[in-house]
Amino acid sequence: MTAAAPSATDVLIVGAGIAGASLAAALAPWRRVLLVEAEDAPGYHATGRSAAFWHESYGGAGVQPLTRASFEALDRPHADFAERGFLTPRGALTLGRAADAAAVDAFADEFRPKGVAVERISGNAVAALVPGLRPQWCEAAYESGCRDIDVGRLHAAYLRAAKRAGAQLVTRASMRRACRVAAGWVVEVGGATIHADLLVNAAGAWADRVAAASGIAPLGIRPCRRTMVQLRLGVPTPAALPLVIDIGGDFYFKGESEGRIWLTPHDETPVDPHDVAPEDIDVATAIDRLQSVVDWPVAAVERKWAGLRSFAPDRLPVFGSDPHEARFIWCAGQGGFGIQTAPAIAGLLAAQLGAPEPRGAIGRIDPSPFAASRFA
């Protein structure tokens, strides 16, 4: 451990990635909060390895309300939280071949009624946004509202806000087990024993393991490996290249700097939770898929990495009390959309645990579709 853990707390949050950090920041003004993190530093496995963006349609129609409601907090945060916003313009294309026209139409038709600004384009209008695009990729839905997220700065701001409100963070502290007692929980963390009124499972890929170690039935949170590659290209692609996502889910890429892109084969390879590394076959698959889309020579693979993405069985996030144990709180299953939905999830869940109801767009969201009780 990097600091001594207290002997008791109101709320013990397991995991200090974006899920745990944002919840701690929202809840700490109202409850005593302790964040425990198994790694040397928070956000190591997922948050710190994200190619994060705010893309309103990403994650599907069920996730979209959380993404939309989080926009203001990310773009125009309170001055005491951050001196400037965390978003910068990017734009996004959901891209298909000529044969995918109906699928692209259906995508646009699904999100327009939800207020998402989706423009259906084809032919030359698509080619103008992606230089070197192969002609068969001629159907797209364009979302001008897509933004990049400064993930590191956002995560650090949540941790600072939590600390300022009195929350404590202990790193290098694995949760070994938790036992339910009359007054809440007795939790073994590293070499310490901590009494907590509420136990929050924000452990990402380890969420089901934390549940099992607490005597709680797992929900089927599935950890998956996601591969990312930074390529240097042999052509001068613009840094402001849009986020380009395959309508079939086989890739996405975006500009990183002049002549460089970030690329993924959008893999979701089920794995046991651990410190994942990229597989050569996944890197090769990503490049092969890219070259079927654009006529760009690859000069070098400059970086490659992998991170963990965790999904509930229905691919929606899970937050709220366990259906069989009200003092065990889930905050998990956030897939690849946990950062863009963090303000909404944190605000809604904190209100369930003792903070005031959130105002504005977040306060208008019905949290029931995301409750753990749906798996009861």
Side-chain angles (χ1 to χ4, degrees), residues 21-291:
S22 57
L23 177 61
L27 190 57
W30 316 99
R31 305 290 300 270
R32 289 183 302 163
V33 172
L34 172 64
L35 268 171
V36 297
E37 169 58 50
E39 303 297 341
D40 291 349
Y44 179 72
H45 294 284
T47 301
R49 307 188 195 190
S50 172
F53 40 74
W54 185 93
H55 183 207
E56 192 168 353
S57 61
Y58 192 72
V63 174
Q64 180 268 341
L66 297 169
T67 302
R68 165 167 279 207
S70 297
F71 180 82
E72 184 174 355
L74 295 171
D75 191 52
R76 298 181 296 278
H78 292 300
D80 59 352
F81 182 73
E83 61 184 12
R84 65 185 189 280
F86 302 95
L87 304 181
T88 53
R90 170 65 63 180
L93 276 178
T94 299
L95 182 68
R97 300 177 178 90
D100 298 318
V104 178
D105 286 341
F107 171 87
D109 291 344
E110 179 179 26
F111 285 100
R112 277 199 201 101
K114 295 178 172 294
V116 180
V118 182
E119 180 185 0
R120 183 67 170 87
I121 60 176
S122 60
N124 290 338
V126 182
L129 292 170
V130 185
L133 188 67
R134 297 190 186 278
Q136 63 267 33
W137 293 88
C138 56
E139 303 294 339
Y142 180 64
E143 295 173 64
S144 61
C146 178
R147 304 285 197 271
D148 285 341
I149 304 176
D150 188 337
V151 179
R153 195 163 61 85
L154 176 65
H155 188 212
Y158 277 129
L159 291 171
R160 273 197 313 273
K163 180 179 180 180
R164 194 163 54 240
Q168 292 180 262
L169 168 66
V170 180
T171 57
R172 297 200 290 272
S174 295
M175 196 213 88
R176 297 179 178 179
R177 68 172 182 154
C179 297
R180 184 73 168 87
V181 295
W185 294 92
V186 174
V187 189
E188 293 181 12
V189 177
T193 299
I194 303 166
H195 294 258
D197 183 30
L198 300 176
L199 181 59
V200 177
N201 183 0
W206 283 262
D208 271 1
R209 291 192 178 185
V210 166
S214 307
I216 301 296
L219 296 183
I221 304 294
R222 184 186 65 172
C224 296
R225 185 179 66 241
R226 170 67 52 80
T227 305
M228 295 295 303
V229 185
Q230 179 175 303
L231 299 179
R232 178 165 54 84
L233 304 168
V235 290
T237 53
L241 189 76
L243 172 67
V244 180
I245 298 183
D246 174 35
I247 186 68
D250 280 347
F251 62 80
Y252 68 72
F253 59 87
K254 68 174 185 174
E256 195 280 326
S257 61
E258 188 73 23
R260 289 175 171 82
I261 63 167
W262 280 6
L263 165 70
T264 175
H266 216 202
D267 48 333
E268 292 178 4
T269 305
V271 294
D272 289 333
H274 69 288
D275 185 4
V276 292
E279 301 281 345
D280 288 344
I281 185 62
D282 295 324
V283 174
T285 297
I287 294 172
D288 182 65
R289 291 176 181 176
L290 174 74
Q291 294 187 319

